[in-house]
Short mmCIF file of all heavy atoms in Angstrom, two decimals:
data_model
loop_
_atom_site.label_atom_id
_atom_site.label_comp_id
_atom_site.label_asym_id
_atom_site.label_seq_id
_atom_site.Cartn_x
_atom_site.Cartn_y
_atom_site.Cartn_z
N LYS R 664 -47.79 0.42 17.83
CA LYS R 664 -48.76 -0.44 18.51
C LYS R 664 -49.18 0.15 19.85
O LYS R 664 -50.36 0.15 20.22
CB LYS R 664 -48.16 -1.84 18.70
CG LYS R 664 -49.08 -2.83 19.39
CD LYS R 664 -50.30 -3.15 18.55
CE LYS R 664 -51.15 -4.23 19.20
NZ LYS R 664 -52.38 -4.51 18.42
N LEU R 665 -48.20 0.70 20.59
CA LEU R 665 -48.50 1.28 21.91
C LEU R 665 -49.48 2.44 21.78
O LEU R 665 -50.44 2.55 22.56
CB LEU R 665 -47.21 1.76 22.58
CG LEU R 665 -46.27 0.66 23.09
CD1 LEU R 665 -44.96 1.26 23.58
CD2 LEU R 665 -46.94 -0.13 24.22
N PHE R 666 -49.25 3.32 20.78
CA PHE R 666 -50.14 4.48 20.63
C PHE R 666 -51.49 4.07 20.02
O PHE R 666 -52.51 4.72 20.27
CB PHE R 666 -49.46 5.56 19.78
CG PHE R 666 -48.53 6.43 20.58
CD1 PHE R 666 -47.19 6.14 20.67
CD2 PHE R 666 -49.03 7.51 21.30
CE1 PHE R 666 -46.33 6.93 21.41
CE2 PHE R 666 -48.19 8.31 22.05
CZ PHE R 666 -46.84 8.02 22.11
N THR R 667 -51.50 3.00 19.25
CA THR R 667 -52.78 2.49 18.75
C THR R 667 -53.63 1.98 19.91
O THR R 667 -54.84 2.24 19.98
CB THR R 667 -52.53 1.36 17.73
OG1 THR R 667 -51.78 1.88 16.63
CG2 THR R 667 -53.84 0.79 17.22
N VAL R 668 -53.01 1.25 20.83
CA VAL R 668 -53.72 0.76 22.02
C VAL R 668 -54.18 1.93 22.87
O VAL R 668 -55.31 1.94 23.40
CB VAL R 668 -52.80 -0.19 22.82
CG1 VAL R 668 -53.45 -0.54 24.16
CG2 VAL R 668 -52.50 -1.45 22.03
N LEU R 669 -53.30 2.96 22.99
CA LEU R 669 -53.67 4.13 23.79
C LEU R 669 -54.86 4.86 23.16
O LEU R 669 -55.75 5.35 23.87
CB LEU R 669 -52.47 5.07 23.90
CG LEU R 669 -52.64 6.28 24.83
CD1 LEU R 669 -52.93 5.81 26.26
CD2 LEU R 669 -51.40 7.16 24.80
N TYR R 670 -54.88 4.91 21.85
CA TYR R 670 -56.01 5.53 21.15
C TYR R 670 -57.30 4.75 21.44
O TYR R 670 -58.36 5.34 21.68
CB TYR R 670 -55.74 5.57 19.65
CG TYR R 670 -56.83 6.23 18.85
CD1 TYR R 670 -56.91 7.62 18.74
CD2 TYR R 670 -57.80 5.45 18.22
CE1 TYR R 670 -57.92 8.21 18.02
CE2 TYR R 670 -58.82 6.05 17.50
CZ TYR R 670 -58.88 7.43 17.39
OH TYR R 670 -59.90 8.02 16.67
N SER R 671 -57.18 3.41 21.42
CA SER R 671 -58.36 2.59 21.72
C SER R 671 -58.83 2.81 23.15
O SER R 671 -60.04 2.85 23.43
CB SER R 671 -58.03 1.11 21.49
OG SER R 671 -57.72 0.87 20.13
N LEU R 672 -57.86 2.98 24.07
CA LEU R 672 -58.23 3.27 25.46
C LEU R 672 -59.00 4.58 25.57
O LEU R 672 -59.97 4.70 26.34
CB LEU R 672 -56.96 3.34 26.32
CG LEU R 672 -56.46 2.05 26.97
CD1 LEU R 672 -55.15 2.32 27.70
CD2 LEU R 672 -57.49 1.47 27.93
N SER R 673 -58.53 5.58 24.80
CA SER R 673 -59.16 6.91 24.91
C SER R 673 -60.62 6.89 24.46
O SER R 673 -61.42 7.73 24.89
CB SER R 673 -58.37 7.93 24.10
OG SER R 673 -58.43 7.63 22.72
N THR R 674 -60.97 5.93 23.60
CA THR R 674 -62.37 5.86 23.16
C THR R 674 -63.29 5.44 24.30
O THR R 674 -64.51 5.66 24.24
CB THR R 674 -62.52 4.87 22.00
OG1 THR R 674 -62.09 3.57 22.42
CG2 THR R 674 -61.68 5.30 20.80
N LEU R 675 -62.73 4.81 25.35
CA LEU R 675 -63.54 4.43 26.51
C LEU R 675 -64.08 5.65 27.23
O LEU R 675 -65.07 5.55 27.98
CB LEU R 675 -62.71 3.59 27.48
CG LEU R 675 -62.25 2.21 26.97
CD1 LEU R 675 -61.30 1.58 27.98
CD2 LEU R 675 -63.45 1.31 26.73
N LEU R 676 -63.46 6.81 27.04
CA LEU R 676 -63.86 8.03 27.76
C LEU R 676 -65.08 8.69 27.12
O LEU R 676 -65.72 9.55 27.74
CB LEU R 676 -62.69 9.02 27.80
CG LEU R 676 -61.42 8.51 28.48
CD1 LEU R 676 -60.31 9.55 28.40
CD2 LEU R 676 -61.70 8.15 29.94
N VAL R 677 -65.37 8.32 25.86
CA VAL R 677 -66.50 8.97 25.18
C VAL R 677 -67.59 7.96 24.81
O VAL R 677 -68.63 8.33 24.26
CB VAL R 677 -66.03 9.71 23.91
CG1 VAL R 677 -65.07 10.82 24.27
CG2 VAL R 677 -65.37 8.74 22.94
#
Side-chain angles (χ1 to χ4, degrees):
K664 180 66 175 177
L665 288 173
F666 277 94
T667 299
V668 172
L669 186 60
Y670 181 82
S671 297
L672 270 176
S673 65
T674 60
L675 295 173
L676 301 177
V677 297

